[in-house]
Amino acid sequence: MASRNTPDQVKFPSLTHWLEETLAAMPQRGRMTLKLPHDLAFGFTDDRKTEKGNQDRVAFAYRLDPSHYGESWFFAGLCDGVGGEEQGDIAASIAMAEILSELCSSDEYSPRARISDAIVRAHSAVGERLHGSATTFAGVLVTARGTITLGSVGDSRIYSLAQGKAQQLSQDDTLEDMLRRHPSSTNDGQVQEALQNLKQQWKDSLGQAIGGSLPLEPRIKDWPTDTKQAGCLLCTDGVWKTVENVLDQAVAASGDRQDLARRLLNLTDLLRSDDNATAVVLPEVSNVIAWLRNKHSLAERGLVHIVLPTEALVAPWTLFEKRRSLPAGTRQAVVDHPPSETPAKSKSKRKQKNGKPSVIEKDPEVQLTIEEEVRDEPVTTTGSVPKERKGST
């Protein structure tokens, strides 16, 4: 029997494709900010007037449905196209779309395996479709069980924020840092010699990136168990390289985490950052866990929320493209085992913007809701960071 495609199915062959197209269409110029409900997270991205425009991508996603493998989860992540290459923005868009799609469709119970699989899937997709273009990644996955898992590739960083200080939790994948982390079994003299002979122009070059030609080893790490009251900062090198020397002072001087996001944005401007600047701030990861554990409406069953700088999406997780074939030897060790519970399908409510329905029907059982942002200015935002006050930095 011949298959029949509806017009909407032709337009959106998969939500992964829709995500990629939406991310790729982000404005190349200007500043965009994001703010999640309940002050769970704040973010910004700015092209900093670079020649090739903004090659950073940032996104939030969450599922408030414990029927799917017994947990709700929250994700925040960013990608940074490598080296200002011609298709760095496309590499970052593909990677973020694939990571979100894998997280939304995965039936893997272990958060470590889930985020590792997402990174490997992104690496495969970017490598297959682009040649010579790559991207970094930094992300945090929080579950209602209380697990907090960090994943990174490249030199985008993850910090914990506590007691007026920022502590780097991720590892940089620059050639210099990778040499310094070389196994101790290797001749230390050889490592030191290699470091001394490493030209300055190569020290900051990436030893690995999503989509790169070298073998990929995702950096997967658990959040320190004694710092769940801490906040979390994700940022590209356009932020941390500029503010590294004053980051602790900015954290200590901030009235709250939203204020910190504003300060980081202002500092990258005042200190004349010459690279795309993108950052995400979670006020306290414990607040995210508490919010995930709250009782949520039955209408959330089967749905995933995704927030991008220009769009917000609510859709059934069953519509995301599933890929189960991953290269051997790339998955992190898994110690958790999924229960037998399976998710139930659900319908999303019809929503309207400016009097126009924004529902695209995929089949009689499920609906896809795309919330379009009101475009009052050339660059749209889903939220705002407070404007700079006089006398603040």
Side-chain angles (χ1 to χ4, degrees):
M1 181 182 294
S3 62
R4 180 176 61 87
N5 290 324
T6 67
D8 287 329
Q9 286 173 325
V10 172
K11 188 176 181 181
F12 297 109
S14 73
L15 290 187
T16 309
H17 175 77
W18 181 88
L19 283 170
E20 181 187 325
E21 292 294 312
T22 303
L23 287 160
M26 272 179 52
Q28 293 295 300
R29 303 292 175 187
R31 176 180 300 176
M32 290 171 282
T33 57
L34 300 91
K35 177 181 177 181
L36 286 192
H38 310 292
D39 292 341
L40 289 176
F42 310 93
F44 67 81
T45 183
D46 194 337
D47 72 292
R48 288 297 175 221
K49 300 180 180 179
T50 52
E51 181 181 350
K52 295 185 182 298
N54 197 345
Q55 296 194 338
D56 292 354
R57 296 296 183 264
V58 59
F60 299 112
Y62 56 91
R63 183 163 60 204
L64 305 175
D65 180 10
S67 69
H68 185 75
Y69 291 101
E71 66 176 353
S72 303
W73 55 261
F74 170 90
F75 166 80
L78 50 82
C79 290
D80 177 6
V82 172
E85 294 167 351
E86 195 65 37
Q87 292 184 298
D89 57 333
I90 303 301
S93 299
I94 293 173
M96 183 59 75
E98 296 288 344
I99 287 168
L100 290 170
S101 190
E102 179 65 25
L103 291 174
C104 291
S105 63
S106 176
D107 57 6
E108 175 57 64
Y109 187 62
S110 164
R112 290 178 64 92
R114 204 180 313 164
I115 198 165
S116 179
D117 286 356
I119 294 172
V120 171
R121 169 172 167 171
H123 180 62
S124 176
V126 175
E128 287 174 2
R129 297 174 53 187
L130 301 178
H131 300 285
S133 295
T135 180
T136 71
F137 167 74
V140 56
L141 179 63
V142 185
T143 72
R145 282 182 285 155
T147 63
I148 305 165
T149 307
L150 313 176
S152 65
V153 177
D155 60 356
S156 291
R157 287 185 174 180
I158 306 173
Y159 293 87
S160 66
L161 307 172
Q163 299 178 344
K165 293 185 177 181
Q167 178 186 357
Q168 183 181 346
L169 300 179
S170 58
Q171 293 181 332
D172 296 337
D173 285 327
T174 61
L175 291 180
E176 182 177 22
D177 284 280
M178 292 180 77
L179 276 173
R180 292 188 187 281
R181 294 196 302 268
H182 213 275
S184 57
S185 59
T186 303
N187 188 306
D188 288 340
Q190 291 179 346
V191 173
Q192 291 302 319
E193 184 180 356
L195 282 169
Q196 290 174 2
N197 293 332
L198 192 63
K199 294 182 179 180
Q200 185 63 41
Q201 67 195 70
W202 293 109
K203 286 187 176 181
D204 291 337
S205 297
L206 294 182
Q208 67 168 1
I210 290 178
S213 58
L214 297 176
L216 183 73
E217 181 187 348
R219 308 294 181 189
I220 309 298
K221 185 175 182 178
D222 294 326
W223 186 270
T225 56
D226 58 343
T227 57
K228 287 190 177 180
Q229 299 300 320
C232 179
L233 168 65
L234 313 176
C235 59
T236 61
D237 63 339
V239 173
W240 68 259
K241 283 184 178 178
T242 305
V243 306
E244 188 173 21
N245 293 334
V246 295
L247 183 55
D248 283 348
Q249 293 93 314
V251 174
S254 299
D256 54 38
R257 301 308 183 203
Q258 185 173 9
D259 184 38
L260 174 61
R262 178 189 59 79
R263 287 175 184 272
L264 292 176
L265 182 58
N266 290 336
L267 281 169
T268 56
D269 193 12
L270 293 171
L271 298 176
R272 301 183 182 279
S273 171
D274 58 358
D275 192 7
N276 304 155
T278 302
V280 168
V281 180
L282 277 63
E284 285 187 4
V285 290
S286 60
N287 288 350
V288 177
I289 295 172
W291 175 69
L292 291 172
R293 289 175 175 173
N294 287 343
K295 271 194 171 183
H296 298 283
S297 169
L298 290 176
E300 293 287 352
R301 188 172 290 270
L303 299 180
V304 173
H305 299 248
I306 293 179
V307 181
L308 309 176
T310 55
E311 301 280 359
L313 168 73
V314 183
W317 65 268
T318 51
L319 296 185
F320 284 91
E321 184 179 357
K322 295 179 175 61
R323 293 184 187 175
R324 290 295 169 260
S325 56
L326 292 171
T330 57
R331 172 174 285 183
Q332 297 291 317
V334 180
V335 296
D336 297 320
H337 302 281
S340 58
E341 207 170 356
T342 55
K345 289 185 178 180
S346 176
K347 291 184 179 180
S348 62
K349 293 184 179 179
R350 178 179 295 269
K351 296 188 178 181
Q352 296 186 357
K353 282 278 185 177
N354 298 332
K356 297 180 180 179
S358 57
V359 174
I360 299 175
E361 295 188 5
K362 303 295 289 189
D363 62 50
E365 297 297 324
V366 293
Q367 290 180 335
L368 164 66
T369 303
I370 299 175
E371 301 175 354
E372 298 180 355
E373 294 300 319
V374 181
R375 298 176 178 259
D376 295 327
E377 301 177 358
V379 177
T380 61
T381 69
T382 58
S384 61
V385 175
K387 295 181 179 179
E388 181 181 5
R389 296 189 293 270
K390 291 182 178 180
S392 63
T393 58

